[in-house]
């Protein structure tokens, strides 16, 4: 599995995990992200059950297991959190932060040890070592209870399915040509994002944040001016029930 350092500050760092060359071709490729600060770490959208072994092998090269203290699930989809039952056996003292709405669903993946920390609809914050992360509401994008993670120090937004693209596992991890990348995103966003109103509200909130890296759960990462290019494109796109 490919691992790359995205951002490093004096207090913490962001790591990317993805592009697993051994995954089944019928399974959609996913990106996983880790924030590590001091002796604590947060693993975001840790992936499906089939991804657990390569994820664990990659993680322990960078973070001791006892420092993997928090998990985050943006919503309830299996590609995001169906590995929970195995993490539950590996990290019995960890805490999972996820939407309150999906607790009864997420627990179906297996959860006897890890503590479920429900995120209220308005969002919240989490202190990971020396950095305070923000849980940003992203409801109906695409799940009815959905959150993203924003780091105001590193200026990184983990954007879940927003910004997702469908392309081969050998693709680069950064967008290098925004105009050419649109064709890999458009169908996904039109079909999976159900509400123009929710989309527009989210875009308006994101424009108020300083985002230098926008990191979706599928596809490539947007950097610098490409973040604004994505927000402008997404804002103008009719999605879901906005379609004829």
């Amino acid at each position: 599995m490919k691992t790359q350092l995205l951002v490093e500050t004096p207090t913490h760092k962001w790591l990317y995990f993805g592009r697993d060359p051994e995954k089944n071709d019928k399974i959609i490729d996913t990106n996983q992200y880790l924030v590590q600060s001091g002796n604590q770490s947060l693993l975001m959208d840790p992936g499906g059950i089939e991804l657990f072994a390569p994820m664990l092998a990659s993680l322990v090269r960078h973070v001791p297991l006892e420092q993997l203290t928090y998990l985050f699930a943006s919503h309830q989809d299996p590609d995001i959190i169906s590995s929970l039952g195995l993490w539950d056996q590996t990290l019995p003292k960890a805490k999972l932060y996820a939407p309150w709405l999906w607790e009864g669903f997420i627990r179906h993946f297996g959860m006897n040890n890890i503590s479920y920390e429900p995120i209220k609809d308005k969002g919240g914050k989490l202190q990971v070592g020396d950095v305070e992360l923000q849980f940003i509401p992203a409801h109906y994008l695409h799940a009815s209870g959905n959150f993203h993670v924003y780091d105001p120090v590193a200026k990184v937004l983990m954007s879940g399915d927003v910004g997702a693209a469908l392309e081969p596992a050998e693709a680069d991890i950064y967008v290098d040509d925004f105009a050419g990348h649109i064709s890999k995103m458009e169908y996904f966003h039109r079909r999976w994002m159900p509400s123009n109103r929710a989309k527009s509200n989210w875009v308006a909130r994101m424009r108020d944040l300083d985002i230098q890296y926008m990191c979706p759960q599928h596809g490539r990462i947007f950097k610098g001016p490409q973040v604004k290019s994505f927000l402008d494109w997404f804002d103008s796109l009719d999605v879901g029930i906005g379609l004829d």
Side-chain angles (χ1 to χ4, degrees):
M1 176 174 290
K2 188 170 185 176
T3 305
Q4 186 158 325
L5 176 67
L6 295 181
V7 185
E8 187 166 16
T9 78
T11 58
H12 65 292
K13 61 185 176 183
W14 279 71
L15 290 169
Y16 158 91
F17 301 87
R19 304 293 193 267
D20 180 17
E22 297 182 3
K23 77 172 184 64
N24 188 305
D25 290 341
K26 299 294 185 181
I27 294 174
I28 190 171
D29 198 39
T30 58
N31 302 327
Q32 291 69 228
Y33 303 97
L34 179 88
V35 172
Q36 187 273 328
S37 179
N39 60 1
Q40 295 185 328
S41 300
L42 170 69
L43 177 60
M44 289 162 270
D45 286 1
I49 190 170
E50 81 292 339
L51 200 65
F52 174 78
M55 269 301 301
L56 181 60
S58 297
L59 278 167
V60 296
R61 296 189 183 103
H62 300 274
V63 180
L65 278 181
E66 63 270 19
Q67 293 184 13
L68 190 50
T69 46
Y70 306 113
L71 303 175
F72 166 78
S74 57
H75 56 292
Q76 83 293 353
D77 279 358
D79 61 324
I80 283 170
I81 196 61
S82 64
S83 58
L84 178 61
L86 296 173
W87 289 113
D88 189 67
Q89 298 173 43
T90 308
L91 306 170
K93 297 181 180 180
K95 295 182 178 182
L96 170 67
Y97 286 80
W100 71 269
L101 184 67
W102 295 121
E103 181 173 0
F105 292 77
I106 288 175
R107 284 186 178 274
H108 280 282
F109 295 126
M111 192 174 180
N112 296 314
N113 300 302
I114 290 176
S115 170
Y116 195 104
E117 303 293 331
I119 305 173
K120 297 179 180 179
D121 280 343
K122 64 181 181 180
K125 298 178 180 180
L126 175 64
Q127 189 74 31
V128 179
D130 295 322
V131 61
E132 184 179 76
L133 303 174
Q134 302 174 12
F135 297 130
I136 305 292
H139 306 312
Y140 299 101
L141 298 174
H142 62 92
S144 51
N146 197 74
F147 292 95
H148 296 159
V149 179
Y150 177 61
D151 178 348
V153 176
K155 301 177 182 179
V156 180
L157 176 73
M158 187 279 187
S159 61
D161 281 317
V162 177
L166 304 177
E167 54 186 332
E170 62 269 17
D172 190 54
I173 71 167
Y174 294 109
V175 175
D176 53 7
D177 173 11
F178 183 81
H181 194 59
I182 289 174
S183 63
K184 300 178 178 68
M185 301 188 293
E186 188 165 2
Y187 175 79
F188 181 91
H189 286 78
R190 286 190 185 277
R191 186 65 188 261
W192 287 95
M193 303 297 164
S195 168
N196 276 326
R197 180 178 175 184
K199 175 206 68 175
S200 297
N201 288 342
W202 179 87
V203 169
R205 291 196 300 274
M206 295 308 103
R207 292 192 192 278
D208 290 335
L209 302 178
D210 186 353
I211 303 170
Q212 293 301 313
Y213 294 83
M214 184 177 132
C215 302
Q217 198 228 350
H218 307 286
R220 305 192 191 199
I221 295 168
F222 302 83
K223 294 195 298 183
Q226 291 180 351
V227 175
K228 182 180 184 301
S229 295
F230 175 81
L231 294 177
D232 291 343
W233 172 80
F234 192 36
D235 201 19
S236 66
L237 185 72
D238 278 330
V239 301
I241 60 174
L243 298 175
D244 292 333

